[in-house]
Amino acid sequence: MSNFRKRIPRTAAGAAAGLLAGYAALAAAELTASLTRPQAGPLTAVGSAAIDRTPAPLKDFAIRAFGENDKLVLQLGIIAVLGLLAAALGILTLRHRRAGCAGVLLFGVVGAAAAVTRPDADGAADALPSLVGAAVGAAVLHLLSGRITRTAAPSRDQDAPAERWSRRGFLAAASVTAVAATGAGALGRVLTGRRGEGAVASREAVVLPAPASPAAATPKGAVLAVPGISPFTTPNKDFYRVDTALVVPRIDAGTWRLRIHGTGVTRPRTYTFQDLLARRLTERDVTLTCVSNEVGGPYAGNARWLGVPLAELLREAGVRPPSRGGRADQLVARSVDGMTLGSPVEDVMDGRDALLAVGMNGEPLPFDHGFPVRMVVPGLYGYVSACKWLVDLELTTFDAYDPYWVKRSWARRAPVKTQSRIDTPKPFARPAAGAVTVAGVAWAQHRGITGVEVRVDDGAWQPADLAAEDSADTWRQWSFPWSATAGGHTLTVRATDATGLVQTEERTRTVPDGASGRHSVFVTVT
């Protein structure tokens, strides 16, 4: 027992050495990435690789469970796993010093492989941050483990040499390592921030032109004064964000380029940001919805978009829709981070207000929402239409190419389903008996909403009062006056779109083409 107790501090020191080596490795890697390309840092590269290889149901669960914090949770999880492995390697070095250091180098190789195989990889240079970090981590582990395994002068006590080591020397070396790694990490963050200053300055310098085709004024009566209802226009800061980018791309508008090419393109084109701003711009209110939105979920928002009509650019490139003899039926949009989304050519050229957006709610696109240019296509879920940080449009066919999400079990074509949501009262609310206003929003983009009904418990469906319609591409607010009686009650809503389709009660999950069902909330009236 006494020998076991003596070994505890030495084992703990080994684990600490491993953790410090891992910390130094990450700091050195991030500093190197700040000098080469921030997206090549090991946390970003490995995290992105993990996202790419996550099965669709698990990815969908992460969005439901953690919302827009899903990326933070992933990064914290990766750090936790790396910390456990680093501690284990530190303990291993107490008996097998070379093996422990080799383990650190192996993780560097894994990070390098993840970086160079990303869709947005910038060649072999993307491997450098992980390899430099691994080399630093292995060197630190070798140094610190040497401090632990080094024994003091021989003693008459036969057991002492195996257990006596310079704690003071180890603590000194560990302190220097921690300070140096912290400094390197801080410097890396500063340099990374400076790399994005040009993009920030380019966005601040953008002056959006007045639209040649402005959005119609929001009709009187389209906005209901009901506390708790979703605002008709979603502020930029509150607009949902669902994507796979662990690091939000910051692109300098002055260097940005858009290429249009592919099957059926007789006149390939390349545009600058200024080229787009110089064109006749269109402004429209359009509601966007994420396919990961559960029934009653938060991933829907309405904004006023300013942009170039996409169909015009395609026609200038010689593109014709399939209904007019065009050879391509799929438009593949590529983001600067390698994301690919596929839209039906027929849909983006059928006369709807499909835009290459440069503005959102009266200002240049926020970086989180795709600055400098993104796609907005009414009536289609975002994963087949709303490409952010757009840099490439390729005409092809659905048979020839499967975009990112299609490869992961999602449907090729994904029109938005007719949906409605109760915003107030909230689930498990306790309103007082008497007059209670039930209210929310309903949407069926590019078809429009013509009716909303509410049911209390198992009673009859009763018509709600619809706010005025802005357009078929935006959601509509609705309200229902309820004479609430004491006790528990279930409120359910359903919508009818302009085609006459009544929102189905059949519940389906989001995979493969969006959730269906009717939203309900349970409240207790006091």
Side-chain angles (χ1 to χ4, degrees), residues 291-315:
V291 74
S292 294
N293 198 45
E294 293 281 354
V295 173
Y299 302 129
N302 186 59
R304 178 159 289 189
W305 307 94
L306 176 70
V308 177
L310 176 54
E312 288 183 8
L313 297 180
L314 295 179
R315 283 193 292 268

Side-chain angles (χ1 to χ4, degrees), residues 140-151:
V140 168
L141 185 57
H142 190 271
L143 170 67
L144 295 180
S145 63
R147 296 284 183 178
I148 301 170
T149 57
R150 188 176 301 154
T151 60

Side-chain angles (χ1 to χ4, degrees), residues 17 68 82 108 114 135-136 138 145 184 189 211 219 248 255 257 267 350 387 394 458 461 467 509-510 518:
E68 296 185 20
L82 289 177
V136 170
S145 63
R189 287 190 291 274
V248 174
T255 60
R257 298 291 185 273
R267 297 179 293 276
D350 68 359
C387 186
E394 180 182 2
D458 294 323
W461 288 101
R509 302 302 296 267
T510 57
R518 295 169 182 168

Side-chain angles (χ1 to χ4, degrees), residues 128-520:
L128 194 60
S130 293
L131 296 179
V132 169
V136 170
V140 168
L141 185 57
H142 190 271
L143 170 67
L144 295 180
S145 63
R147 296 284 183 178
I148 301 170
T149 57
R150 188 176 301 154
T151 60
S155 168
R156 291 181 180 181
D157 184 350
Q158 296 299 313
D159 293 331
E163 298 298 334
R164 295 177 61 187
W165 50 281
S166 176
R167 289 174 173 80
R168 181 174 298 176
F170 171 75
L171 290 175
S175 298
V176 171
T177 298
V179 170
T182 300
L187 178 59
R189 287 190 291 274
V190 169
L191 294 177
T192 297
R194 288 181 179 176
R195 287 176 66 94
E197 288 178 355
V200 173
S202 74
R203 181 179 181 274
E204 292 175 347
V206 172
V207 177
L208 295 176
S213 176
T218 302
K220 184 178 180 180
V223 180
L224 301 181
V226 178
I229 197 171
S230 298
F232 177 74
T233 298
T234 309
N236 290 354
K237 64 181 181 62
D238 297 329
F239 208 95
Y240 74 90
R241 178 195 163 203
V242 178
D243 53 55
T244 64
L246 288 177
V247 176
V248 174
R250 298 208 164 194
I251 306 167
D252 189 323
T255 60
W256 176 87
R257 298 291 185 273
L258 172 67
R259 181 186 176 209
I260 300 179
H261 62 106
T263 302
V265 175
T266 58
R267 297 179 293 276
R269 291 285 192 266
T270 299
Y271 295 95
T272 67
F273 187 65
Q274 288 302 320
D275 288 337
L276 297 189
L277 292 187
R279 299 178 65 94
R280 290 174 54 85
L281 300 184
T282 294
E283 182 183 61
R284 294 290 184 269
D285 292 331
V286 178
T287 298
L288 298 185
T289 312
C290 179
V291 74
S292 294
N293 198 45
E294 293 281 354
V295 173
Y299 302 129
N302 186 59
R304 178 159 289 189
W305 307 94
L306 176 70
V308 177
L310 176 54
E312 288 183 8
L313 297 180
L314 295 179
R315 283 193 292 268
E316 289 176 10
V319 177
R320 292 180 296 170
S323 61
R324 298 188 179 182
R327 295 167 52 198
D329 61 5
Q330 180 178 207
L331 176 65
V332 174
R334 286 186 173 83
S335 168
V336 71
D337 68 348
M339 172 58 65
T340 55
L341 307 182
S343 307
V345 173
E346 196 69 49
D347 288 355
V348 300
M349 299 187 74
D350 68 359
R352 72 184 70 193
D353 288 311
L355 301 176
L356 295 190
V358 297
M360 180 179 182
N361 288 334
E363 65 177 83
L365 290 173
F367 286 108
D368 281 357
H369 296 290
F371 181 83
V373 178
R374 68 169 295 165
M375 281 177 60
V376 172
V377 182
L380 302 180
Y381 282 119
Y383 85 99
V384 296
S385 67
C387 186
K388 296 187 283 190
W389 313 295
L390 180 68
V391 293
D392 188 274
L393 291 172
E394 180 182 2
L395 279 298
T396 182
T397 65
F398 284 105
D399 290 338
Y401 184 79
D402 286 339
Y404 182 94
W405 291 110
V406 174
K407 292 177 181 177
R408 289 157 178 80
S409 303
W410 297 83
R412 287 186 173 90
R413 302 171 188 266
V416 172
K417 295 181 179 179
T418 301
Q419 285 289 320
S420 54
R421 182 178 72 201
I422 299 173
D423 290 333
T424 183
K426 299 295 184 184
F428 308 112
R430 300 178 66 84
V436 174
T437 299
V438 184
V441 288
W443 59 87
Q445 293 94 309
H446 204 56
R447 299 186 303 279
I449 294 293
T450 57
V452 171
E453 298 168 287
V454 174
R455 182 175 64 192
V456 180
D457 299 322
D458 294 323
W461 288 101
Q462 303 177 65
D465 297 321
L466 276 179
E469 182 181 64
D470 180 82
S471 80
D473 293 334
T474 63
W475 58 16
R476 292 183 76 172
Q477 296 179 334
W478 57 267
S479 65
F480 174 75
W482 175 38
S483 298
T485 58
H489 297 283
T490 298
L491 305 172
T492 306
V493 63
R494 71 181 184 185
T496 301
D497 66 30
T499 69
L501 178 68
V502 178
Q503 181 180 343
T504 179
E505 66 178 342
E506 180 184 358
R507 280 271 180 171
T508 63
R509 302 302 296 267
T510 57
V511 181
D513 60 354
S516 68
R518 295 169 182 168
H519 188 216
S520 62

Side-chain angles (χ1 to χ4, degrees), residues 37 39-53 59 110-123 126-127 243-247 249 335-340 389 404 408:
R37 203 171 72 94
Q39 292 85 350
L43 282 180
T44 301
V46 173
S48 298
I51 291 174
D52 289 348
R53 289 161 177 77
K59 194 175 299 184
V110 171
V116 299
T117 55
R118 289 287 302 146
D120 62 333
D122 191 22
D126 277 5
D243 53 55
T244 64
L246 288 177
V247 176
S335 168
V336 71
D337 68 348
M339 172 58 65
T340 55
W389 313 295
Y404 182 94
R408 289 157 178 80

